[in-house]
Amino acid sequence: MELVVSLEEARKTILKNTVQLEAETIEISVSLYRILAEDIYSEELIPPFHNCAMDGYAVLHSAIIGASKKEPMELELIGQLTAGYTTQKTVGEGTAIKVMTGAPLPDGADTVVPIEITFEEGNRVKIFKEIAKNDNIRFAGEDVKPGQLLIHKGEKITPYVIGMLAALNKKYIKVTRVPKVSLISTGDELSDIGKVLLPGQIRDINTYSLSAQVVENGANLINMSRTKDDRDEIQSKLEAARGSDMIIISGGVSVGDCDFVKEVLHDMGMKEVFWRIAVKPGKPVLFGILDKTLIFGLPGNPVSAVVAFQQFVLPALFKMKGNNTSPWKEITAILEEDIIKKRGLFHFIRGKTTNTEDKTYVKPYSLQSSGAFSSMIFSDCLIMMPEELTHVKSGEEIKIQMLN
Ligand SMILES: Nc1nc2c(c(=O)[nH]1)N[C@H]1C(S)=C(S)[C@@H](COP(=O)(O)OP(=O)(O)OC[C@H]3O[C@@H](n4cnc5c(N)ncnc54)[C@H](O)[C@@H]3O)O[C@H]1N2
Ligand code: MOO
C-alpha cells in the first residue's frame, strides 16, 4: 500500500484544514494558560507618579554634595510620608522629608538617600555620603507608557502576563475558546486498570496517555470512551462525540480484519484528507473532517499514539487556540551511537539526553518497539532522522525534539 504523505505535507495539510476558534471574553483571574486573542496596549502610566524606591530621606541633591562620614550634611526634617499618602510639603535647600518605599516623591526633592547612610536625631538628619542625583527614584511611566504594546495576540497567558494585565487595569480580556476534544480508544483486547486481565487482554494505555496530552495542551476533554472493535459500537461512540472540535480515536486504523474505524467514519460522512504518513512510529495516522470536526485516527500501538499526537494533533491544537509559538522544542545534539535506518520514512527515535556545560549528547534507547511504553519513560527526546537519511554516525550532530 502506498504511503500518501510526507511528515511535512501532513503537517501542512492539517494546518490548512484547521481553523482558529472564536474569541471569548473572560476574567484574568481564570485566564491562566489560555491564549490571548487581542493585542494588549497600555492606557496607563506605570508607575503613575514619581515615587521612592528606598526607605530613606527625600532631599535636594545640591544639599548633599560633598557629604561624607567625616563631614556629614545636616538637614532639617520637615515631615514623613508613607506609601499610599501624599503631602503638601515641599523639600527645599536644607530640608528633608522622611519617606518609605512606594511613597510619592515629595515636591522639590530630586534624590532619595537610603536610611542606611543617615542618622536621625530629633528633627534633624545627618547624611554621611553623597549619592548621585535622581538615585532611588522610580519615575512616572518608566515601566510602562500609555499606548505601549505589551502583550501580543497569540501569546500564552502566564502568571507574569496576568500580573501585567492587573497592572494595566484590565479585568477582562479576549482569549480564544478552549478546543472541545473527544477521545475514543478502540480494541477488544483492552482492559481497564484494576480489572483482572483475561487471556489475550492488555491494559488500556491510550485512554490515559492521550487524555493527559489533551489536557496538558489546554484543551477540554468533553467525552472519553472505550469501544470494542465493533462497527456499531464504534459508530455510536463517534455519534456521541459529534460536535466536538476534534475527535481523537486510537486503534483500528491500520489494515487488519478488525480495523473498522476508517470504514465507519466514511459511512458517517467523513471527508478523508489523508491516511498513512511516511513516519515511524505513527505510520497509519488518519486525518479527516466530519462536518466541522477534525478527526485524528491514531495508531493503537501506545508509543505510536503518543508520538503521533505530539507530531500531528499538537500543531492542530496550537492553531485552534491561536497559539503563535512552535509546538515543538527542537535542538541539536551529538549522537552517542550510530543510527542506521532504511530510506523512506521519517523516524522519531526515542532517546535520552545528557548535558555538559556547553553541549547536549543523545543516546538512542535500546528498545524501539512501538508497543514498548517503558521507552517513553526512559527517554526524554525524539531523535529526528529525516526520510532520506540512512546513517548518522556516533559523534555527529543530529536534531532532536524534546519531550517535556
Ligand atoms: N500488515 C500490516 N500490519 C500493520 C501495519 C501495516 O502497515 N501493515 N502497521 C503497523 C503499525 S505501524 C501500527 S502502529 C499498527 C497500528 O494498528 P491500528 O491502529 O490498527 O491499531 P490496533 O491494531 O488496534 O492496535 C495495534 C496495537 O496496539 C495495541 N493497542 C491498541 N489500543 C491500545 C490501547 N488503548 N492501549 C494499549 N495498547 C493498545 C493493540 O493491542 C495492538 O497491539 O498496526 C501495525 N500493523
Ligand atoms: O508506525 Mo507504527 O505507528 O510503527 O508503530
Side-chain angles (χ1 to χ4, degrees):
M1 206 160 307
E2 211 188 313
L3 296 176
V4 272
V5 282
S6 67
L7 170 76
E8 206 186 319
E9 280 172 87
R11 284 178 176 167
K12 259 195 212 149
T13 312
I14 289 167
L15 291 185
K16 213 174 85 190
N17 284 280
T18 305
V19 242
Q20 184 175 325
L21 299 176
E22 67 283 2
E24 60 185 14
T25 300
I26 60 168
E27 269 200 48
I28 65 162
S29 52
V30 292
S31 70
L32 189 64
Y33 301 141
R34 299 288 295 272
I35 305 294
L36 261 180
E38 59 176 337
D39 287 332
I40 300 289
Y41 288 90
S42 170
E43 289 159 26
E44 310 280 316
L45 187 70
I46 308 175
F49 46 84
H50 303 332
N51 68 94
C52 307
M54 293 274 238
D55 300 323
Y57 299 88
V59 301
L60 244 175
H61 184 256
S62 53
I64 61 160
I65 291 174
S68 68
K69 244 191 181 151
K70 263 192 181 165
E71 287 182 49
M73 295 295 169
E74 201 171 309
L75 304 171
E76 185 198 349
L77 258 184
I78 57 165
Q80 166 162 342
L81 190 58
T82 53
Y85 299 91
T86 56
T87 180
Q88 300 301 317
K89 290 180 181 156
T90 299
V91 171
E93 204 72 49
T95 64
I97 291 180
K98 190 169 192 181
V99 288
M100 299 301 131
T101 305
L105 182 71
D107 284 349
D110 60 9
T111 305
V112 173
V113 181
I115 216 157
E116 291 84 344
I117 53 168
T118 66
F119 180 74
E120 187 184 317
E121 203 172 28
N123 68 341
R124 319 266 324 155
V125 61
K126 284 181 181 159
I127 313 289
F128 295 112
K129 197 175 164 194
E130 179 186 335
I131 58 171
K133 190 173 175 178
N134 292 338
D135 264 8
N136 306 314
I137 294 172
R138 302 187 285 213
F139 289 97
E142 73 172 24
D143 188 4
V144 174
K145 292 181 180 49
Q148 192 178 338
L149 173 60
L150 282 141
I151 316 160
H152 295 87
K153 190 176 176 166
E155 275 187 44
K156 191 189 247 187
I157 299 174
T158 61
Y160 318 117
V161 169
I162 292 181
M164 191 72 250
L165 290 165
L168 293 169
N169 193 32
K170 308 262 181 201
K171 186 170 186 181
Y172 298 98
I173 44 162
K174 279 190 189 147
V175 293
T176 37
R177 178 168 67 72
V178 175
K180 290 186 216 148
V181 177
S182 292
L183 177 65
I184 305 169
S185 302
T186 70
D188 286 351
E189 70 280 33
L190 303 181
S191 175
D192 205 354
I193 301 169
K195 294 207 172 125
V196 174
L197 287 183
L198 301 174
Q201 287 190 328
I202 55 155
R203 298 275 172 224
D204 174 6
I205 297 174
N206 300 351
T207 293
Y208 292 93
S209 52
L210 292 172
S211 62
Q213 282 181 306
V214 168
V215 173
E216 180 188 36
N217 289 289
N220 188 1
L221 194 62
I222 56 164
N223 184 312
M224 196 161 63
S225 56
R226 185 182 296 122
T227 156
K228 300 257 182 228
D229 294 312
D230 171 272
R231 283 187 183 80
D232 293 341
E233 199 184 343
I234 293 174
Q235 177 154 359
S236 85
K237 302 289 185 200
L238 281 165
E239 288 294 353
R242 259 190 205 259
S244 310
D245 297 306
M246 180 191 286
I247 298 175
I248 301 170
I249 181 161
S250 87
V253 290
S254 193
V255 290
D257 290 347
C258 305
D259 295 340
F260 303 130
V261 167
K262 213 154 81 78
E263 197 182 303
V264 171
L265 280 163
H266 275 289
D267 290 347
M268 289 171 70
M270 177 194 71
K271 176 183 151 244
E272 183 177 317
V273 181
F274 62 75
W275 175 51
R276 292 162 76 94
I277 309 171
V279 296
K280 185 181 165 65
K283 197 168 45 167
V285 169
L286 166 75
F287 177 62
I289 294 166
L290 176 63
D291 307 324
K292 282 183 177 169
T293 304
L294 297 189
I295 307 284
F296 284 94
L298 302 188
N301 275 327
V303 172
S304 313
V306 289
V307 171
F309 182 103
Q310 168 98 354
Q311 307 313 322
F312 306 109
V313 180
L314 207 54
L317 284 177
F318 267 56
K319 170 122 188 232
M320 277 183 174
K321 294 191 300 169
N323 190 333
N324 63 6
T325 57
S326 166
W328 307 289
K329 186 185 170 206
E330 293 177 351
I331 59 168
T332 302
I334 299 164
L335 200 57
E336 288 189 289
E337 260 173 36
D338 281 26
I339 300 181
I340 296 172
K341 73 162 184 68
K342 286 192 196 133
R343 205 178 295 272
L345 302 184
F346 193 120
H347 284 213
F348 289 97
I349 297 151
R350 281 142 275 161
K352 180 87 178 166
T353 59
T354 45
N355 290 298
T356 61
E357 230 166 64
D358 56 345
K359 288 195 171 85
T360 300
Y361 293 84
V362 67
K363 200 178 206 158
Y365 185 65
S366 52
L367 185 57
Q368 293 290 327
S369 154
S370 300
F373 206 72
S374 65
S375 60
M376 294 305 299
I377 297 302
F378 298 125
S379 302
D380 61 2
C381 69
L382 298 172
I383 303 167
M384 301 195 289
M385 279 277 277
E387 294 83 344
E388 292 312 301
L389 210 54
T390 55
H391 189 179
V392 182
K393 291 190 189 124
S394 177
E396 289 184 347
E397 287 194 332
I398 192 153
K399 271 236 169 130
I400 63 173
Q401 190 184 91
M402 299 311 295
L403 281 172
N404 286 309

